Amino acid sequence: MAISFFILVIMKKLTEREEEIMQVLWKLEKAFVKDIIPHLPQEYHYNTVSTVVRLLETKGFITHEAFGNTHQYLPKITKQEYSSFYMKSASKRFFNNSYKSMLSFFANEEKISPEELEEILKLIENKKK
């Protein structure tokens, strides 16, 4: 997964509305604005979605293919790339750049079950091999 240096430098956290639209585009892979709207978790007006989509394109998260006067939008950033950026950012801001502290937080908050912790340990062990 090679994310370009340029994208890493400009990538910012998405707003809630932007993230909702990106989730739809990641799922559909490409879509016209009219195709995005039915997949959103709440009702938005066409013009609102169109404005947010254009902002996402300006920010470098998506691109488009023109079909006459209409555009079909495609993600430029994968969900994995954004998730990685987001989690690294959260780790830095809230856990002093420590994944151990972050994992401990979720374990202490009982957001991770003992079974899930076991699975995480197995993943770590497999990664070492």
Side-chain angles (χ1 to χ4, degrees):
M1 167 182 30
I3 185 168
S4 74
F5 177 74
F6 177 72
I7 297 296
L8 277 175
V9 170
I10 65 163
M11 192 180 301
K12 303 273 190 227
K13 184 179 177 301
L14 296 168
T15 66
E16 184 177 340
R17 199 173 286 173
E18 289 170 341
E19 191 172 315
E20 289 173 348
I21 290 170
M22 286 303 298
Q23 292 289 349
V24 172
L25 283 173
W26 285 322
K27 179 182 172 187
L28 299 177
E29 297 179 358
K30 57 185 172 180
F32 297 96
V33 171
K34 68 179 179 62
D35 299 325
I36 295 170
I37 295 170
H39 295 275
L40 294 171
Q42 54 185 313
E43 192 172 322
Y44 291 116
H45 190 274
Y46 181 94
N47 290 342
T48 302
V49 175
S50 181
T51 299
V52 175
V53 165
R54 286 193 309 275
L55 283 170
L56 285 166
E57 186 168 25
T58 301
K59 290 179 176 184
F61 284 93
I62 64 175
T63 188
H64 75 270
E65 294 176 0
F67 293 92
N69 291 336
T70 190
H71 296 106
Q72 187 176 45
Y73 296 94
L74 308 96
K76 282 176 72 174
I77 306 296
T78 67
K79 187 174 184 176
Q80 179 65 35
E81 288 167 338
Y82 184 72
S83 297
S84 178
F85 160 80
Y86 187 86
M87 294 310 292
K88 285 176 186 174
S89 176
S91 171
K92 183 178 180 180
R93 286 192 337 256
F94 299 111
F95 302 101
N96 209 20
N97 236 6
S98 168
Y99 287 104
K100 177 184 170 193
S101 294
M102 190 162 77
L103 188 56
S104 295
F105 170 81
F106 289 114
N108 289 332
E109 292 286 314
E110 298 179 9
K111 302 292 184 193
I112 298 177
S113 70
E115 294 81 17
E116 289 171 319
L117 282 172
E118 238 353 271
E119 288 178 39
I120 292 168
L121 289 172
K122 285 179 186 174
L123 287 171
I124 293 168
E125 286 301 316
N126 288 337
K127 192 85 167 168
K128 288 180 182 179
K129 294 178 183 180

